[in-house]
Amino acid sequence: MSEPTPFEVAIVGAGPIGIELAVCLTRAGVPYLHLDAAQIGHTLTWWPRNTSFFSTTERLALAGVPIPNSHQGRITGEEYLAYLRAIVEQFDLRINTYEPVTAIERVERGFMLRTAPLAGERRYHARRVVLAIGDMHWPNRLGIPGEDLPHVSHYFRDPHDYFRRRLLIVGGKNSAAEAALRCWRAGALVTLSYRGSRLDERRVKHWLLPDLEAQFAAGTIRFLPETTPMAITPTCVELARPSGPPLRHETDFVLLATGFRGDQRLLESLGVELRGENRVPSFNPETMETNVPGVYLAGTVAAGIQQRYTLFIENCHEHAGKITRAITGHWPAALGDVAARSYGLAFEQFEAN
Ligand SMILES: Cc1cc2nc3c(=O)[nH]c(=O)nc-3n(C[C@H](O)[C@H](O)[C@H](O)COP(=O)(O)OP(=O)(O)OC[C@H]3O[C@@H](n4cnc5c(N)ncnc54)[C@H](O)[C@@H]3O)c2cc1C
C-alpha cells in the first residue's frame, strides 16, 4: 500500500496567529493540517473574566476581517474568542482541537507529527511545519514552599472569588496592578507585594498606575515594596525584606502574578537554535523559516521567553503573510493594511472621494 500524500503544511496551534495563517492558506488554496492542544484561542480562555485588551481593536483584526464592535472601545478576551469562532465558521476552517502535538521528527519528504487526541495516538506526514504555539504554556514559578497549596494560584480567574477576603498579590507589572484594582473594587482586602521599591511606569498600563498609586496613598490597597515571598503556609506568607527579620503577612488567598513562559521542547527537539538569555529562536525574518529547513514560526513563539513583551498579536499579523508568500510566492492581499481595509478608508482616500 502506498503512503498517503503528505499535507503541504501542518500548523501547530490555533491561537489568533495560527488562525490568521489558516485563513491565508485557505484563500490561497494550499492544503494544510491544523492542530491545537486544546480549544481554539486557548490562551485567551484563561484570561481573567472581562479583561480588556491593551491593544486597540483594529489592530487585533485577522486577515482583514473587521471585528464588530458597538462601543469603539477596547474589546474583552471573551469578545475576541467570539470573533475567533466567527472566523473559523466563516472560512469553515478545519481544526483538530484537543489534539496536542507531542513530537515532530524529520522524515523523508518532510516531517512526521505525533499527536495525542482525546483517545489514542495519531501520526501525520507534512512537508512543512509551522509552529504557532504561543509563549504562555506555564506560569513562572517562584520555587518556594507552599506554592502549590490550594489557596495559592498563578491564575487570576475572577475578582468575585476574593469578595470580603484577604488577598495578597505578588508582582509589579500590568497583571498584578490590574488584579489589585479589580479585586479591591469587588470588595476584597488587597495587599500588593513587590520586590521593587516602586511600580515601573513602563510596565503598568498608563491608566492603571495613577489609580493604583491613589489607592496606596489612601490606604485602601496596602503596598509592601521591597518584599519577596520566601514561604507560604495555609494562613500566612513569609516575606523577605532588604533588612530586618522577614515579615509574616496573614492572608486568606495568594495570587502569584509572576508571568508565564513558553514550552520550547518541540523547537529544541527539531534542532531550532535558541539564542541568548531569552532563548530566541533563530529564523529568517523574510520568511519566518527557522534554521531547520521546512520549520516556520508564526506568532509570539518567535520571541522566545518574553521577559519584556516585544511580540503581540498586532505585530505578528505579518508572520502569516511572510509564510504564505514563502509557500505560494504571493503576499496575501487581504493582509495589506489591516486598519485601512477593515475600518474604512485611509485619510487621503477619504479626501479624494
Ligand atoms: C491577561 C492578558 C492580557 C493580554 N493582553 C494582550 C493585548 O492587549 N494584546 C496582545 O496582543 N496580547 C495580549 N496578551 C497576550 C496574548 O494572549 C498573546 O499575544 C496571543 O495569545 C498570542 O497569539 P499566538 O497565536 O501567537 O499564540 P497563542 O494565542 O498563545 O496560541 C497558541 C496556541 O497553540 C496551542 N498549542 C501550544 N502547544 C501546542 C502543541 N504542542 N500542540 C498543539 N497545540 C499547541 C495552544 O493551545 C494555543 O491555542 C495578553 C495576555 C494575557 C494573559
Side-chain angles (χ1 to χ4, degrees), residues 258-337:
T258 47
F260 298 89
R261 61 190 291 136
D263 178 354
Q264 296 187 311
R265 286 177 298 182
L266 285 178
L267 293 152
E268 278 170 357
S269 69
L270 279 162
V272 175
E273 212 183 310
L274 301 172
R275 291 189 182 155
E277 195 195 344
N278 289 345
R279 295 167 58 81
V280 179
S282 177
F283 62 90
N284 176 346
E286 291 300 309
T287 59
M288 301 308 291
E289 189 171 22
T290 63
N291 60 294
V292 180
V295 176
Y296 297 75
L297 303 176
T300 52
V301 63
I305 308 294
Q306 301 206 70
Q307 304 203 33
R308 278 196 182 201
Y309 287 96
T310 53
L311 281 183
F312 311 91
I313 295 169
E314 61 190 73
N315 56 4
C316 288
H317 299 297
E318 61 175 20
H319 297 178
K322 288 175 178 179
I323 295 169
T324 306
R325 182 176 58 192
I327 294 171
T328 66
H330 303 287
W331 185 266
L335 261 191
D337 178 348

Side-chain angles (χ1 to χ4, degrees), residues 213-230:
E213 284 177 339
Q215 304 317 324
F216 294 162
T220 45
I221 295 177
R222 194 171 164 207
F223 184 42
L224 299 176
E226 297 187 298
T227 54
T228 315
M230 294 161 61

